[in-house]
mmCIF file with all atom_site columns, all heavy atoms in Angstrom:
data_model
loop_
_atom_site.group_PDB
_atom_site.id
_atom_site.type_symbol
_atom_site.label_atom_id
_atom_site.label_alt_id
_atom_site.label_comp_id
_atom_site.label_asym_id
_atom_site.label_entity_id
_atom_site.label_seq_id
_atom_site.pdbx_PDB_ins_code
_atom_site.Cartn_x
_atom_site.Cartn_y
_atom_site.Cartn_z
_atom_site.occupancy
_atom_site.B_iso_or_equiv
_atom_site.pdbx_formal_charge
_atom_site.auth_seq_id
_atom_site.auth_comp_id
_atom_site.auth_asym_id
_atom_site.auth_atom_id
_atom_site.pdbx_PDB_model_num
ATOM 1  N N   . ALA A 1 259 ? -5.557 -93.327 -58.960 1.00 97.00 ? 259 ALA A N   1
ATOM 2  C CA  . ALA A 1 259 ? -5.237 -93.344 -57.555 1.00 97.00 ? 259 ALA A CA  1
ATOM 3  C C   . ALA A 1 259 ? -4.370 -92.124 -57.115 1.00 97.00 ? 259 ALA A C   1
ATOM 4  O O   . ALA A 1 259 ? -3.517 -91.744 -57.741 1.00 97.00 ? 259 ALA A O   1
ATOM 5  C CB  . ALA A 1 259 ? -4.501 -94.657 -57.171 1.00 97.00 ? 259 ALA A CB  1
ATOM 6  N N   . THR A 1 260 ? -4.749 -91.573 -55.989 1.00 96.00 ? 260 THR A N   1
ATOM 7  C CA  . THR A 1 260 ? -4.029 -90.406 -55.449 1.00 96.00 ? 260 THR A CA  1
ATOM 8  C C   . THR A 1 260 ? -2.619 -90.868 -55.098 1.00 96.00 ? 260 THR A C   1
ATOM 9  O O   . THR A 1 260 ? -2.460 -91.896 -54.400 1.00 96.00 ? 260 THR A O   1
ATOM 10 C CB  . THR A 1 260 ? -4.764 -89.958 -54.132 1.00 96.00 ? 260 THR A CB  1
ATOM 11 O OG1 . THR A 1 260 ? -6.075 -89.735 -54.450 1.00 96.00 ? 260 THR A OG1 1
ATOM 12 C CG2 . THR A 1 260 ? -4.037 -88.683 -53.533 1.00 96.00 ? 260 THR A CG2 1
ATOM 13 N N   . THR A 1 261 ? -1.616 -90.012 -55.423 1.00 95.00 ? 261 THR A N   1
ATOM 14 C CA  . THR A 1 261 ? -0.279 -90.287 -54.959 1.00 95.00 ? 261 THR A CA  1
ATOM 15 C C   . THR A 1 261 ? 0.242  -89.005 -54.401 1.00 95.00 ? 261 THR A C   1
ATOM 16 O O   . THR A 1 261 ? -0.449 -88.419 -53.457 1.00 95.00 ? 261 THR A O   1
ATOM 17 C CB  . THR A 1 261 ? 0.666  -90.739 -56.142 1.00 95.00 ? 261 THR A CB  1
ATOM 18 O OG1 . THR A 1 261 ? 0.565  -89.955 -57.228 1.00 95.00 ? 261 THR A OG1 1
ATOM 19 C CG2 . THR A 1 261 ? 0.389  -92.229 -56.487 1.00 95.00 ? 261 THR A CG2 1
ATOM 20 N N   . ASP A 1 262 ? 1.403  -88.454 -54.853 1.00 94.00 ? 262 ASP A N   1
ATOM 21 C CA  . ASP A 1 262 ? 1.893  -87.177 -54.269 1.00 94.00 ? 262 ASP A CA  1
ATOM 22 C C   . ASP A 1 262 ? 2.807  -86.572 -55.229 1.00 94.00 ? 262 ASP A C   1
ATOM 23 O O   . ASP A 1 262 ? 2.945  -87.079 -56.424 1.00 94.00 ? 262 ASP A O   1
ATOM 24 C CB  . ASP A 1 262 ? 2.590  -87.359 -52.912 1.00 94.00 ? 262 ASP A CB  1
ATOM 25 C CG  . ASP A 1 262 ? 3.595  -88.548 -52.943 1.00 94.00 ? 262 ASP A CG  1
ATOM 26 O OD1 . ASP A 1 262 ? 4.459  -88.558 -53.894 1.00 94.00 ? 262 ASP A OD1 1
ATOM 27 O OD2 . ASP A 1 262 ? 3.541  -89.406 -52.099 1.00 94.00 ? 262 ASP A OD2 1
ATOM 28 N N   . SER A 1 263 ? 3.428  -85.450 -54.898 1.00 92.00 ? 263 SER A N   1
ATOM 29 C CA  . SER A 1 263 ? 4.233  -84.740 -55.935 1.00 92.00 ? 263 SER A CA  1
ATOM 30 C C   . SER A 1 263 ? 5.761  -85.036 -55.666 1.00 92.00 ? 263 SER A C   1
ATOM 31 O O   . SER A 1 263 ? 6.612  -84.357 -56.196 1.00 92.00 ? 263 SER A O   1
ATOM 32 C CB  . SER A 1 263 ? 3.929  -83.305 -55.962 1.00 92.00 ? 263 SER A CB  1
ATOM 33 O OG  . SER A 1 263 ? 3.971  -82.825 -54.649 1.00 92.00 ? 263 SER A OG  1
ATOM 34 N N   . ILE A 1 264 ? 5.992  -85.938 -54.738 1.00 92.00 ? 264 ILE A N   1
ATOM 35 C CA  . ILE A 1 264 ? 7.415  -86.235 -54.361 1.00 92.00 ? 264 ILE A CA  1
ATOM 36 C C   . ILE A 1 264 ? 8.028  -87.067 -55.497 1.00 92.00 ? 264 ILE A C   1
ATOM 37 O O   . ILE A 1 264 ? 7.523  -88.115 -55.887 1.00 92.00 ? 264 ILE A O   1
ATOM 38 C CB  . ILE A 1 264 ? 7.607  -86.915 -52.947 1.00 92.00 ? 264 ILE A CB  1
ATOM 39 C CG1 . ILE A 1 264 ? 6.895  -86.020 -51.944 1.00 92.00 ? 264 ILE A CG1 1
ATOM 40 C CG2 . ILE A 1 264 ? 8.984  -87.301 -52.683 1.00 92.00 ? 264 ILE A CG2 1
ATOM 41 C CD1 . ILE A 1 264 ? 6.754  -86.741 -50.593 1.00 92.00 ? 264 ILE A CD1 1
ATOM 42 N N   . GLN A 1 265 ? 9.086  -86.586 -56.086 1.00 87.00 ? 265 GLN A N   1
ATOM 43 C CA  . GLN A 1 265 ? 9.777  -87.310 -57.128 1.00 87.00 ? 265 GLN A CA  1
ATOM 44 C C   . GLN A 1 265 ? 10.724 -88.363 -56.734 1.00 87.00 ? 265 GLN A C   1
ATOM 45 O O   . GLN A 1 265 ? 11.120 -88.403 -55.577 1.00 87.00 ? 265 GLN A O   1
ATOM 46 C CB  . GLN A 1 265 ? 10.604 -86.302 -58.027 1.00 87.00 ? 265 GLN A CB  1
ATOM 47 C CG  . GLN A 1 265 ? 9.727  -85.027 -58.504 1.00 87.00 ? 265 GLN A CG  1
ATOM 48 C CD  . GLN A 1 265 ? 8.806  -85.380 -59.618 1.00 87.00 ? 265 GLN A CD  1
ATOM 49 O OE1 . GLN A 1 265 ? 9.146  -86.215 -60.461 1.00 87.00 ? 265 GLN A OE1 1
ATOM 50 N NE2 . GLN A 1 265 ? 7.628  -84.834 -59.649 1.00 87.00 ? 265 GLN A NE2 1
ATOM 51 N N   . GLY A 1 266 ? 11.049 -89.170 -57.706 1.00 86.00 ? 266 GLY A N   1
ATOM 52 C CA  . GLY A 1 266 ? 12.175 -90.117 -57.330 1.00 86.00 ? 266 GLY A CA  1
ATOM 53 C C   . GLY A 1 266 ? 11.670 -91.397 -56.731 1.00 86.00 ? 266 GLY A C   1
ATOM 54 O O   . GLY A 1 266 ? 10.530 -91.814 -56.916 1.00 86.00 ? 266 GLY A O   1
ATOM 55 N N   . LYS A 1 267 ? 12.521 -91.963 -55.878 1.00 89.00 ? 267 LYS A N   1
ATOM 56 C CA  . LYS A 1 267 ? 12.255 -93.278 -55.359 1.00 89.00 ? 267 LYS A CA  1
ATOM 57 C C   . LYS A 1 267 ? 10.949 -93.317 -54.473 1.00 89.00 ? 267 LYS A C   1
ATOM 58 O O   . LYS A 1 267 ? 10.687 -92.284 -53.893 1.00 89.00 ? 267 LYS A O   1
ATOM 59 C CB  . LYS A 1 267 ? 13.457 -93.693 -54.469 1.00 89.00 ? 267 LYS A CB  1
ATOM 60 C CG  . LYS A 1 267 ? 14.575 -94.327 -55.239 1.00 89.00 ? 267 LYS A CG  1
ATOM 61 C CD  . LYS A 1 267 ? 15.396 -95.154 -54.256 1.00 89.00 ? 267 LYS A CD  1
ATOM 62 C CE  . LYS A 1 267 ? 16.597 -95.765 -54.952 1.00 89.00 ? 267 LYS A CE  1
ATOM 63 N NZ  . LYS A 1 267 ? 16.489 -96.273 -56.208 1.00 89.00 ? 267 LYS A NZ  1
ATOM 64 N N   . ILE A 1 268 ? 10.355 -94.477 -54.372 1.00 90.00 ? 268 ILE A N   1
ATOM 65 C CA  . ILE A 1 268 ? 9.206  -94.531 -53.526 1.00 90.00 ? 268 ILE A CA  1
ATOM 66 C C   . ILE A 1 268 ? 9.622  -94.811 -52.083 1.00 90.00 ? 268 ILE A C   1
ATOM 67 O O   . ILE A 1 268 ? 10.551 -95.625 -51.889 1.00 90.00 ? 268 ILE A O   1
ATOM 68 C CB  . ILE A 1 268 ? 8.182  -95.579 -53.984 1.00 90.00 ? 268 ILE A CB  1
ATOM 69 C CG1 . ILE A 1 268 ? 8.769  -96.920 -54.105 1.00 90.00 ? 268 ILE A CG1 1
ATOM 70 C CG2 . ILE A 1 268 ? 7.583  -95.247 -55.339 1.00 90.00 ? 268 ILE A CG2 1
ATOM 71 C CD1 . ILE A 1 268 ? 7.867  -98.017 -53.735 1.00 90.00 ? 268 ILE A CD1 1
ATOM 72 N N   . THR A 1 269 ? 8.899  -94.266 -51.127 1.00 95.00 ? 269 THR A N   1
ATOM 73 C CA  . THR A 1 269 ? 9.155  -94.564 -49.679 1.00 95.00 ? 269 THR A CA  1
ATOM 74 C C   . THR A 1 269 ? 7.866  -94.821 -48.990 1.00 95.00 ? 269 THR A C   1
ATOM 75 O O   . THR A 1 269 ? 6.796  -94.342 -49.364 1.00 95.00 ? 269 THR A O   1
ATOM 76 C CB  . THR A 1 269 ? 9.906  -93.435 -49.085 1.00 95.00 ? 269 THR A CB  1
ATOM 77 O OG1 . THR A 1 269 ? 9.121  -92.214 -49.367 1.00 95.00 ? 269 THR A OG1 1
ATOM 78 C CG2 . THR A 1 269 ? 11.393 -93.224 -49.472 1.00 95.00 ? 269 THR A CG2 1
ATOM 79 N N   . PHE A 1 270 ? 7.935  -95.575 -47.945 1.00 96.00 ? 270 PHE A N   1
ATOM 80 C CA  . PHE A 1 270 ? 6.765  -95.822 -47.090 1.00 96.00 ? 270 PHE A CA  1
ATOM 81 C C   . PHE A 1 270 ? 6.610  -94.861 -46.027 1.00 96.00 ? 270 PHE A C   1
ATOM 82 O O   . PHE A 1 270 ? 7.467  -94.792 -45.083 1.00 96.00 ? 270 PHE A O   1
ATOM 83 C CB  . PHE A 1 270 ? 6.767  -97.340 -46.582 1.00 96.00 ? 270 PHE A CB  1
ATOM 84 C CG  . PHE A 1 270 ? 5.492  -97.626 -45.926 1.00 96.00 ? 270 PHE A CG  1
ATOM 85 C CD1 . PHE A 1 270 ? 4.438  -98.107 -46.616 1.00 96.00 ? 270 PHE A CD1 1
ATOM 86 C CD2 . PHE A 1 270 ? 5.301  -97.618 -44.550 1.00 96.00 ? 270 PHE A CD2 1
ATOM 87 C CE1 . PHE A 1 270 ? 3.183  -98.546 -46.072 1.00 96.00 ? 270 PHE A CE1 1
ATOM 88 C CE2 . PHE A 1 270 ? 4.159  -97.987 -43.987 1.00 96.00 ? 270 PHE A CE2 1
ATOM 89 C CZ  . PHE A 1 270 ? 3.080  -98.424 -44.675 1.00 96.00 ? 270 PHE A CZ  1
#
Side-chain angles (χ1 to χ4, degrees):
T260 304
T261 48
D262 50 47
S263 52
I264 301 171
Q265 304 286 323
K267 275 200 185 318
I268 58 145
T269 46
F270 188 82

